[in-house]
Amino acid sequence: MKRKNRDRNSIISLILIIGFLEVCIPSMVGMANVDVVKITIEGTSITAFNEGGRVLWIKNLGNDITCHVLTDLNKDGKNEIIVGTGYKPGDKPGYIYVFNSSGTELWEYKTGTGCERVFHHSDIFTVTHILVDDLDNDGKKEILVNSHNVPWYPARLLLFDANGAIKQEYWHPGYIFDVKIADIEGDGYKEIIGGGTNNDLGHIPVIFVLNPQIMNGQAPPYCGNFPHASEKYYKKIPLSEVRKEGCSVKEISFDGDRLVASTEDGRFFYYDSNMNSLGVGYSDWYIQQIEKIKEKEFYAKTYPLILTIVSIILSIIGGVFLGAFLERKGKMPKRKK
């Protein structure tokens, strides 16, 4: 009888152990898998997930999150999370944050810092782009951040190392709407290509190419109190009839070996690897706007002439009718037959 009780107790214990292992082993594996492989953004909050889809941590940064990148910055086999914020609604606008996979903040930086050194505007900025790449071929990743003042200008490109030290900075008197990293010259060294608008040159569209190792300074026309930058290329694009009061480069793309700067008024400027012009293309919308402008100009030129002709015709007709009327009233001599 005692043996049967022992056997029954052993079976019950085994069942309990198996149940415990079924519950705990997956949890222990999940706890060990703390590398962030996915993040989601909702307003001011960021949520990090592991490979199994388990929530690892949640951060509320107080300001709207405008952009983010998930990458292994320091080659430790785990991803870091780089986050940029906007200018509302919190009290830390235009910040860059870097977190490790555990959710610990490694460093942060306010991108509007030092704006008064260059332009007399506030330090309220918003971050628009974060790009990560090895920009000096040393095997280590750098972080390129694009931000701009709100609601005015300037824009600022910042190049950080993985630890948050600023390696280079570039100030621009107008928003930089797009930025790319590419080896456009095919020499094994990558360039930074930016496109936007230059407020101090008449709100014209511009595209520029920077050497990431010597990009420190400010762009033309050098209104701020800061050293002049040494761009590899700085191309000024003329305003069009469609947008006479200001325009910008909205997108930078590549068409084979050609670099394409797309302006907000529907023009496409093509360049070779040395930024020599290869021609201009036009969108259907741009062509339609030009046709409307030409139509308005035609009517503007011909309308006064049409009015003059109509006035002369009406004067002649009026004179004929007036003469006939006066003749009937006997106030004009009758015509001799």
Side-chain angles (χ1 to χ4, degrees), residues 327 332-337:
E327 186 174 345
M332 285 186 66
K334 296 183 179 179
R335 294 178 185 175
K336 295 181 180 180
K337 295 182 178 181

Side-chain angles (χ1 to χ4, degrees), residues 299-315:
Y299 284 118
K301 291 179 181 178
T302 57
Y303 187 67
L305 178 61
I306 293 172
L307 284 180
T308 302
I309 294 173
V310 169
S311 178
I312 293 172
I313 293 172
L314 290 176
S315 297

Side-chain angles (χ1 to χ4, degrees), residues 231-291:
E231 298 95 347
K232 296 186 79 168
Y233 305 100
Y234 195 92
K235 295 291 184 178
K236 305 167 189 175
I237 298 174
L239 296 174
S240 71
E241 291 297 312
V242 174
R243 294 293 300 271
K244 291 182 178 181
E245 297 180 356
C247 189
S248 63
V249 171
K250 281 292 188 180
E251 183 181 5
I252 297 167
S253 58
F254 299 91
D255 180 13
D257 294 332
R258 301 187 301 175
L259 189 151
V260 186
S262 304
T263 60
E264 63 179 318
D265 59 1
R267 294 177 293 165
F268 308 98
F269 292 82
Y270 297 90
Y271 301 93
D272 65 13
S273 59
N274 295 314
M275 294 302 290
N276 296 309
S277 177
L278 297 176
V280 184
Y282 305 97
S283 68
D284 292 339
W285 181 85
Y286 180 88
I287 294 171
Q288 291 172 2
Q289 299 308 307
I290 290 296
E291 290 175 349

Side-chain angles (χ1 to χ4, degrees), residues 68-295:
H68 62 274
V69 171
L70 187 66
T71 184
D72 183 1
L73 273 179
N74 52 17
K75 294 187 175 181
D76 64 351
K78 295 181 180 179
N79 285 323
E80 280 72 43
I81 302 89
I82 312 166
V83 182
T85 64
Y87 67 97
K88 60 181 182 180
D91 57 358
K92 298 183 77 172
Y95 271 69
I96 287 290
Y97 299 89
V98 178
F99 302 98
N100 64 16
S101 275
S102 300
T104 302
E105 183 182 308
L106 301 179
W107 55 270
E108 66 178 50
Y109 183 80
K110 183 178 182 180
T111 60
T113 301
C115 185
E116 70 282 353
R117 295 177 302 154
V118 188
F119 297 90
H120 299 294
H121 292 144
S122 76
D123 60 358
I124 299 176
F125 273 51
T126 185
V127 177
T128 58
H129 298 80
I130 301 172
L131 292 83
V132 178
D133 210 328
D134 179 6
L135 288 168
D136 52 11
N137 291 348
D138 65 351
K140 299 177 182 179
K141 292 181 179 179
E142 283 82 36
I143 305 166
L144 179 66
V145 175
N146 179 30
S147 63
H148 62 72
N149 176 271
V150 178
W152 310 112
Y153 65 94
R156 187 186 191 189
L157 288 175
L158 282 159
L159 188 63
F160 297 94
D161 68 14
N163 297 316
I166 297 175
K167 301 182 73 171
Q168 301 284 326
E169 62 178 316
Y170 180 74
W171 295 87
H172 192 266
Y175 288 3
I176 299 171
F177 287 103
D178 197 11
V179 59
K180 295 287 194 300
I181 296 173
D183 177 11
I184 64 172
E185 297 176 340
D187 59 359
Y189 293 90
K190 295 174 182 175
E191 288 84 27
I192 297 170
I193 308 104
T197 186
N198 191 310
N199 293 28
D200 292 338
L201 290 177
H203 299 273
I204 61 171
V206 295
I207 181 170
F208 54 85
V209 179
L210 304 173
N211 180 340
Q213 299 185 56
I214 51 170
M215 59 182 265
N216 262 342
Q218 62 166 312
Y222 315 118
C223 298
N225 183 25
F226 204 67
H228 298 182
S230 299
E231 298 95 347
K232 296 186 79 168
Y233 305 100
Y234 195 92
K235 295 291 184 178
K236 305 167 189 175
I237 298 174
L239 296 174
S240 71
E241 291 297 312
V242 174
R243 294 293 300 271
K244 291 182 178 181
E245 297 180 356
C247 189
S248 63
V249 171
K250 281 292 188 180
E251 183 181 5
I252 297 167
S253 58
F254 299 91
D255 180 13
D257 294 332
R258 301 187 301 175
L259 189 151
V260 186
S262 304
T263 60
E264 63 179 318
D265 59 1
R267 294 177 293 165
F268 308 98
F269 292 82
Y270 297 90
Y271 301 93
D272 65 13
S273 59
N274 295 314
M275 294 302 290
N276 296 309
S277 177
L278 297 176
V280 184
Y282 305 97
S283 68
D284 292 339
W285 181 85
Y286 180 88
I287 294 171
Q288 291 172 2
Q289 299 308 307
I290 290 296
E291 290 175 349
K292 290 180 181 178
I293 290 171
K294 289 181 178 179
E295 185 178 347

Side-chain angles (χ1 to χ4, degrees), residues 38-73:
K38 176 186 175 183
I39 56 177
T40 60
I41 305 296
E42 186 174 350
T44 63
S45 295
I46 178 170
T47 304
F49 301 84
N50 67 4
E51 190 174 2
R54 188 171 68 86
V55 175
L56 296 176
W57 46 265
I58 300 173
K59 299 281 184 183
N60 191 324
L61 302 182
N63 286 75
D64 285 338
I65 297 172
T66 54
C67 48
H68 62 274
V69 171
L70 187 66
T71 184
D72 183 1
L73 273 179

